[in-house]
């Protein structure tokens, strides 16, 4: 099975605990066994987002535990392209790992825990630094939807400012307070930009969050191209955005199946 490493390769990285911190003290109970198909989808989402230039060596994608909404699943600290099924860990909404076993965990996991807490309808979260989006996080020009696959951007794309919460920081969501502030900036939207850092995309499921993350990056490129032409730019109307979203949620399975097949065939 390509998704599972041999026992030899599974050997934990001993003596290493958390990026920039010690092993978490709290040991929450597990939400229970998870269907292997969901784990496979989460592994696929990691690789799909690498294939599309959304994730590089950094960034992460998570899914809410299907049986316990107070738990979520996220890889141990690892470049997304390398993530396999046995790298997936379970966390509570305070972002404490259920069973750390010495594994290194992502410093910015609070992004996921605090958004899952604040947004009960959200079941999948992507944090990325995809390059074309960054300019819109530092510019006064707002990101707006330019074409009929980015209707989800029509409600607006807020920008999270670290300085408003923590003053001069390292601009990493390294604690629950910053995670809560980020979730507050996101509010009820599907995307929030993080000034000079990256962005977060949320959705009700993994196929939709992958699609939104991929097309947020593409929208950024196209908006920049349209602005560069020099004339006026016509963006989608919010009503067009709502109508597009009604179609996309039922058709996203088509690209998802293709992306997943390609991503999982590699290893
Ligand atoms: Zn980051």
């Amino acid at each position: 099975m390509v998704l599972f490493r041999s026992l030899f390769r599974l050997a934990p990285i001993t003596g290493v605990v958390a990026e920039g911190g010690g092993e978490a003290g709290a040991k929450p109970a597990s939400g229970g066994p998870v269907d292997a198909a969901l784990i496979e989808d989460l592994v696929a989402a990691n690789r799909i987002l690498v294939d599309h230039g959304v994730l590089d060596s950094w960034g992460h994608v998570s899914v809410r535990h299907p049986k316990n909404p107070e738990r979520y699943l996220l890889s141990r600290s690892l470049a997304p392209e390398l993530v396999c099924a046995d790298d997936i860990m379970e966390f509570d909404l305070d972002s404490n790992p259920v069973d750390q076993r010495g594994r290194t965990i992502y410093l910015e996991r609070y992004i996921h825990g605090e958004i899952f807490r604040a947004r009960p309808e959200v079941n999948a979260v992507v944090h990325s630094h995809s390059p074309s989006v960054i300019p819109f996080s530092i510019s006064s020009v707002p990101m707006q939807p330019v074409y009929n696959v980015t209707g989800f951007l029509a409600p607006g794309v807020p920008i999270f400012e670290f300085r408003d919460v923590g003053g001069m920081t390292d601009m990493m969501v390294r604690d629950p307070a910053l995670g809560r502030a980020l979730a507050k900036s996101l509010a009820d939207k599907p995307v929030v930009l993080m000034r000079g850092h990256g962005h977060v995309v949320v959705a009700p499921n993994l196929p939709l969050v992958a699609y939104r993350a991929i097309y947020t990056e593409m929208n950024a490129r196209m908006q920049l191209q349209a602005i560069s032409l020099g004339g006026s730019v016509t963006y989608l109307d919010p009503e067009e955005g709502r109508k597009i979203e009604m179609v996309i949620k039922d058709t996203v399975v088509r690209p998802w199946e293709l992306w997943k097949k390609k991503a999982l065939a590699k290893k």
Side-chain angles (χ1 to χ4, degrees):
M1 180 64 187
V2 292
L3 293 176
F4 291 88
R5 292 199 177 89
S6 68
L7 284 176
F8 176 77
R9 294 182 67 199
L10 247 176
I13 304 166
T14 54
V16 180
V17 283
E19 291 176 337
E23 182 152 355
K27 297 202 184 308
S30 172
V34 177
D35 192 332
L38 183 67
I39 302 288
E40 184 180 74
D41 279 356
L42 183 54
V43 170
N46 274 272
R47 299 183 189 177
I48 288 167
L49 292 169
V50 172
D51 289 347
H52 287 83
V54 172
L55 300 180
D56 48 14
S57 301
W58 312 97
H60 14 88
V61 50
S62 66
V63 67
R64 195 189 292 269
H65 195 297
K67 295 176 188 157
N68 184 343
E70 304 285 309
R71 301 286 182 273
Y72 68 92
L73 308 170
L74 177 72
S75 171
R76 71 181 172 95
S77 176
L78 196 64
E81 192 168 5
L82 301 178
V83 169
C84 292
D86 44 272
D87 297 311
I88 303 301
M89 297 176 65
E90 182 181 346
F91 295 84
D92 68 6
L93 297 190
D94 291 327
S95 295
N96 294 310
V98 166
D99 184 15
Q100 188 163 357
R101 285 186 280 129
R103 290 173 288 183
T104 311
I105 52 181
Y106 291 125
L107 177 65
E108 292 193 292
R109 62 193 182 280
Y110 304 103
I111 292 170
H112 305 266
E114 297 304 327
I115 288 176
F116 284 131
R117 193 197 310 277
R119 295 279 298 274
E121 85 288 9
V122 164
N123 294 310
V125 176
V126 172
H127 168 51
S128 100
H129 316 114
S130 64
S132 306
V133 180
I134 302 283
F136 290 94
S137 78
I138 58 175
S139 168
S140 61
V141 176
M143 177 177 278
Q144 295 188 69
V146 300
Y147 68 148
N148 78 335
V149 279
T150 54
F152 62 93
L153 296 174
V157 184
I159 300 176
F160 174 64
E161 174 52 82
F162 285 88
R163 292 177 194 167
D164 291 345
V165 185
M168 295 299 158
T169 67
D170 59 9
M171 297 167 62
M172 305 279 279
V173 184
R174 59 169 55 251
D175 61 40
L178 284 164
R180 283 194 293 275
L182 177 65
K184 192 175 174 189
S185 288
L186 172 68
D188 61 349
K189 307 292 192 299
V191 179
V192 61
L193 309 188
M194 302 158 71
R195 194 264 306 161
H197 176 150
H199 69 287
V200 174
V201 182
V202 304
N205 55 54
L206 283 168
L208 267 174
V209 88
Y211 143 77
R212 286 179 176 176
I214 290 165
Y215 283 96
T216 297
E217 165 69 16
M218 291 175 68
N219 193 89
R221 278 183 241 160
M222 291 188 194
Q223 186 175 349
L224 185 59
Q225 288 166 357
I227 291 170
S228 301
L229 291 174
S232 62
V233 179
T234 303
Y235 297 104
L236 297 190
D237 185 271
E239 187 176 350
E240 291 172 323
R242 282 191 295 275
K243 289 179 174 173
I244 291 163
E245 277 292 88
M246 296 300 290
V247 178
I248 292 288
K249 68 180 175 54
D250 294 327
T251 57
V252 72
V253 67
R254 191 193 315 161
W256 168 258
E257 285 178 348
L258 173 65
W259 295 334
K260 182 177 167 182
K261 187 175 180 181
K262 285 183 172 177
L264 297 182
K266 288 185 179 174
K267 299 181 182 114

